[in-house]
Amino acid sequence: MIKVENVKLLDRYTNRKAANGTLYLTATHLIYVDASAEVRKETWILHHHIATVEKLPLTTAGYPLLIHCKNFHVAHFVIGQERDCHEVYTSLLKLSQPVKPEELYAFSYNPKMSKENREIGWKLIDLKVDYQRMGIPNDYWEITDVNKDYEVCNTYPPEIVVPRAANKAVVIGSSRFRSRGRIPVLSYLYKENNAAICRCSQPLSGFSARCLEDEQMLQAIREANPGSPFMYVVDTRPKLNAMANRAAGKGYENEDNYDNIRFKFIGIENIHVMRNSLQKLLEVCETKSPSMSDFLTGLENSGWLRHIKAVMDAGVFLAKAVKDEKASVLVHCSDGWDRTAQVCSVASLLLDPFYRTFKGFMVLIEKEWIAMGHKFSHRCGHLDGDPKEVSPVFTQFVECVWQLMQQFPCTFEFNERFLLEIHDHVYSCQFGNFLGTCHKEREDLKIFEKTHSLWPFLLQKKQELRNPLYRGFTAYKELQPNTLPFSFQFWCGMYNRFDKGMHPKQCVLDHLLSCMSQKMKLEDNASELENKLPFLDGPLPSEACSLPKAGYAASKTPMLNTPQGYEVEPPPVLSNGASAGDVDVTSDVDRKHKENLLHHQGLHDLNDAVDGLDSKAKDGKLQHH
């Protein structure tokens, strides 16, 4: 352990006096203990979260050390002695960029969990169950182990979903015509009309090459949806990029060679453009006291929200093709593990409310990102490697989900903190889920035997990660977001998350979660009192003593901030034409127990408070944090 005293920590947004304290370097964390604070205050930074460490020019206060983290935390330390500063600097460079996978935190992290519970944690998400939920296997689709020895594709999982009509020869033949063997496989089946979303990599078509088995594979996908005479093939790259790949013997499908396909370019930029765009966005976020003009110009010049919109537009196109046109869609980019994962995930979220629940969102990430070979290790820079392979592909997907949550605040079971927790742990390497680049590599690293899964850890924190405005699984089916430019917001909660001075003084989410917690306690008290009532002067009629249950406030409030209309059933009508809500049915006997009912008043007041917050949210008066 390294210990350095009298280290200053600067606040980059306010002119407050710098904190003064002690800096510690352990095997896994940088820990700063603020000695100047009235209450002990600690700042913990995981070594794996550190993106860059920079020594700045000497100042009158000492030797500055600037640390940028992958979760957008920025720490500006000033160390008194040059020797100490250099020792911290060189240690952090080494600790933040391990060379071997075995040096990653997940392999030493020990939460004192039994072997059995660790194994249960890894079995929590079963992708076969999700395919069964979609109705697979069926007459058109099957789950096959044709890739069990990774002979078809070494970046796909052992089991994949393909059309029944595609025999092994077709599968193997198609794999030889697709970049890295990533053949067309099923991503999502829309049960209502049998339209499917499939994914793959680009064909090795060059300027004129073709492959009979690949053409048969696409025909099998189209015929697995008898309700549509055609299918879409969507290339998520800009057309110029795809045409440039032709010169390298790759490229895109020729409509003349495939029966009844409609080909479309979407135009999402590559990983290098996205990396540069994020860098420009972070420069804007770090500007001290920018003018409104500087901030808005910088945000526009970064192109970040334009890229988020491009991913969202692609997801919307897929969802509309499947739901409205009843057509199947095959999606690819270059290798089918970056833009393809983004677009298929967003489309699935729009089409299926299951993926908007805690468990469903975990399944979605496992299915579209982890199992299908998104290169987390390279894109997140887990190990010391090529910096040009690093790109915020998964960050963009997480932001797309957040943008949807802003338009549909009642449709997701989880809140913003759930997204931030997942984003943190994609980079933390504390859990095994995101290590490596594909299923085969995780097996080789013995991830499932030597590390723990993130998902049970998150489910333990479910209460603080849930969305208090969630209306339930059946309230909404498909989402139809607005993707006009004004619909996209800057996500301060992500990119300036650690800059406390930039957040609202009052957090709506905290207030609502507190209200819901208090409400549950009051309901427990009310239940106890209800049980005592029969032992008093006489029973109360059920109308008078029945209390609002957990979902009462939610069920009587119309849907908020959503394009879809949703009608709530009116209260039952009594025989005289008045509704039950308008008539006082309390008898003389009941009034004797008025004092007992006063115990419930807090619950009613709380319901009113929650309803009031709901209505303010509907009017756009509250700002989410």
Side-chain angles (χ1 to χ4, degrees):
M1 181 192 283
I2 295 174
K3 175 182 177 182
V4 184
E5 296 182 327
N6 295 318
V7 175
K8 292 182 172 61
L9 176 59
L10 307 184
D11 187 311
R12 59 184 182 143
Y13 283 104
T14 64
N15 293 319
R16 283 184 309 192
K17 187 179 177 184
N20 190 49
T22 304
L23 187 149
Y24 301 88
L25 287 190
T26 71
T28 56
H29 290 80
L30 178 157
I31 305 168
Y32 179 77
V33 181
D34 184 353
S36 57
E38 293 180 10
V39 181
R40 181 183 174 90
K41 185 180 175 186
E42 296 180 355
T43 300
W44 288 59
I45 299 175
L46 193 63
H47 296 325
H48 291 320
H49 271 157
I50 295 175
T52 62
V53 187
E54 189 180 354
K55 282 201 289 186
L56 301 180
L58 174 67
T59 67
T60 53
Y63 295 85
L65 200 62
L66 186 62
I67 297 173
H68 282 88
C69 295
K70 297 170 185 176
N71 61 349
F72 312 117
H73 189 178
V74 178
H76 192 162
F77 296 106
V78 179
I79 299 172
Q81 300 295 320
E82 183 182 13
R83 185 185 70 252
D84 292 335
C85 181
H86 185 71
E87 185 180 17
V88 171
Y89 172 74
T90 53
S91 298
L92 284 177
L93 281 181
K94 185 179 177 184
L95 290 165
S96 63
Q97 295 179 330
V99 177
K100 300 176 184 175
E102 294 79 9
E103 296 171 8
L104 295 170
Y105 185 24
F107 291 99
S108 60
Y109 174 61
N110 181 15
K112 294 185 171 58
M113 183 185 289
S114 70
K115 181 185 175 186
E116 291 75 16
N117 283 343
R118 181 177 57 73
E119 289 172 354
I120 290 169
W122 279 114
K123 292 173 183 172
L124 183 68
I125 303 299
D126 184 349
L127 298 186
K128 263 191 174 178
V129 174
D130 194 45
Y131 290 125
Q132 288 165 4
R133 187 182 65 84
M134 296 178 208
I136 297 169
N138 58 29
D139 292 343
Y140 301 105
W141 296 94
E142 64 177 353
I143 303 171
T144 174
D145 64 354
V146 68
N147 196 41
K148 63 178 183 295
D149 298 320
Y150 303 105
E151 64 181 57
V152 175
C153 174
N154 63 6
T155 58
Y156 271 179
E159 293 185 320
I160 52 180
V161 180
V162 297
R164 278 196 187 277
N167 59 34
K168 187 171 182 179
V170 168
V171 169
I172 298 292
S174 176
S175 74
R176 290 175 183 148
F177 191 66
R178 291 282 164 178
S179 177
R180 302 182 190 272
R182 292 173 67 87
I183 62 166
V185 295
L186 183 110
S187 166
Y188 179 71
L189 181 66
Y190 190 64
K191 276 197 301 187
E192 278 76 357
N193 59 22
N194 282 323
I197 296 174
C198 297
R199 55 183 292 177
C200 61
S201 61
Q202 65 184 333
L204 305 178
S205 52
F207 289 103
S208 59
R210 57 188 295 182
C211 170
L212 177 62
E213 290 87 354
D214 195 66
E215 291 162 25
Q216 290 172 338
M217 174 63 93
L218 266 66
Q219 182 181 348
I221 291 172
R222 179 178 56 77
E223 291 177 350
N225 178 17
S228 176
F230 73 95
M231 67 179 280
Y232 281 105
V233 176
V234 172
D235 190 328
T236 59
R237 300 170 293 182
K239 186 174 182 179
L240 279 175
N241 298 28
M243 290 178 72
N245 271 280
R246 276 186 157 184
K250 300 176 183 177
Y252 52 93
E253 291 80 0
N254 184 336
E255 283 184 278
D256 294 336
N257 296 340
Y258 294 86
D259 290 337
N260 299 307
I261 71 164
R262 294 184 186 176
F263 189 85
K264 181 179 176 63
F265 285 109
I266 293 272
I268 302 170
E269 297 290 350
N270 64 30
I271 60 170
H272 312 296
V273 173
M274 300 309 190
R275 181 177 60 250
N276 294 335
S277 176
L278 178 63
Q279 188 55 46
K280 289 177 183 175
L281 177 77
L282 296 179
E283 288 169 9
V284 175
C285 295
E286 291 172 38
T287 307
K288 223 174 183 181
S289 307
S291 67
M292 178 63 86
S293 175
D294 289 344
F295 174 75
L296 292 176
T297 303
L299 185 60
E300 164 61 20
N301 290 342
S302 76
W304 184 253
L305 288 179
R306 191 163 62 250
H307 299 315
I308 296 296
K309 173 177 160 49
V311 175
M312 193 80 85
D313 279 333
V316 168
F317 175 82
L318 262 63
K320 284 184 176 176
V322 165
K323 180 181 178 290
D324 299 339
E325 297 187 60
K326 302 179 174 59
S328 292
V329 188
L330 176 64
V331 190
H332 67 74
C333 44
S334 296
D335 290 314
W337 51 43
D338 290 319
R339 288 166 280 201
T340 301
Q342 291 176 326
V343 171
C344 290
S345 301
V346 170
S348 297
L349 274 169
L350 296 177
L351 288 167
D352 195 330
F354 171 65
Y355 295 127
R356 298 174 225 141
T357 66
F358 280 108
K359 185 81 175 282
F361 195 67
M362 294 171 186
V363 168
L364 185 67
I365 291 172
E366 284 279 350
K367 180 162 64 77
E368 299 299 330
W369 294 85
I370 297 172
M372 295 305 293
H374 175 67
K375 301 197 296 181
F376 280 105
S377 179
H378 296 173
R379 296 293 179 260
C380 301
H382 289 164
L383 300 171
D384 187 18
D386 184 357
K388 289 182 180 176
E389 282 289 296
V390 174
S391 190
V393 179
F394 188 77
T395 300
Q396 288 182 317
F397 164 63
V398 172
E399 172 155 349
C400 283
V401 180
W402 180 82
Q403 297 284 355
L404 285 172
M405 290 166 77
Q406 304 318 293
Q407 290 198 41
F408 304 95
C410 308
T411 61
F412 290 84
E413 187 182 12
F414 46 83
N415 62 39
E416 174 190 65
R417 288 171 193 165
F418 181 65
L419 298 179
L420 295 174
E421 282 274 353
I422 291 174
H423 189 264
D424 273 356
H425 287 297
V426 164
Y427 289 97
S428 75
C429 302
Q430 183 174 345
F431 298 92
N433 306 67
F434 306 106
L435 303 190
T437 60
C438 60
H439 193 276
K440 182 179 185 298
E441 194 174 320
R442 285 181 202 100
E443 282 186 339
D444 293 342
L445 290 170
K446 294 185 167 50
I447 292 292
F448 310 107
E449 300 159 37
K450 294 182 177 180
T451 72
H452 294 80
S453 171
L454 169 65
W455 309 131
F457 169 79
L458 289 182
L459 288 176
Q460 286 175 356
K461 303 174 71 173
K462 198 171 176 179
Q463 280 302 103
E464 63 191 87
L465 301 176
R466 69 193 182 111
N467 171 18
L469 295 178
Y470 181 53
R471 291 292 183 245
F473 184 81
T474 57
Y476 297 88
K477 286 196 73 180
E478 299 83 10
L479 302 182
Q480 297 175 9
N482 190 329
T483 61
L484 290 171
F486 61 75
S487 304
F488 294 89
Q489 303 175 32
F490 169 70
W491 190 4
C492 182
M494 170 74 95
Y495 305 108
N496 289 107
R497 171 179 161 200
F498 297 93
D499 304 307
K500 299 303 180 190
M502 297 189 64
H503 300 298
K505 300 295 184 188
Q506 295 180 325
C507 176
V508 174
L509 177 60
D510 281 341
H511 188 67
L512 279 174
L513 287 172
S514 173
C515 283
M516 298 300 279
S517 175
Q518 188 183 351
K519 180 180 174 183
M520 288 169 70
K521 288 177 186 174
L522 286 167
E523 283 175 343
D524 289 341
N525 293 341
S527 296
E528 287 181 29
L529 289 166
E530 271 190 309
N531 292 335
K532 292 176 183 176
L533 285 176
F535 300 103
L536 300 173
D537 294 351
L540 288 176
S542 60
E543 294 278 345
C545 69
S546 64
L547 289 160
K549 300 300 178 192
Y552 178 78
S555 65
K556 74 174 186 177
T557 309
M559 292 294 160
L560 306 181
N561 298 347
T562 53
Q564 288 89 343
Y566 182 80
E567 294 296 323
V568 179
E569 285 186 18
V573 177
L574 302 179
S575 57
N576 65 356
S579 71
D582 299 327
V583 180
D584 182 4
V585 293
T586 311
S587 67
D588 290 334
V589 176
D590 300 336
R591 291 191 179 92
K592 292 181 181 179
H593 304 296
K594 191 172 181 181
E595 291 180 8
N596 290 325
L597 290 174
L598 286 174
H599 286 282
H600 306 322
Q601 188 60 46
L603 179 60
H604 291 293
D605 291 346
L606 191 57
N607 276 328
D608 291 342
V610 174
D611 288 347
L613 283 165
D614 282 357
S615 63
K616 286 182 182 178
K618 187 175 181 181
D619 295 337
K621 292 176 183 173
L622 291 179
Q623 182 180 354
H624 289 277
H625 166 52

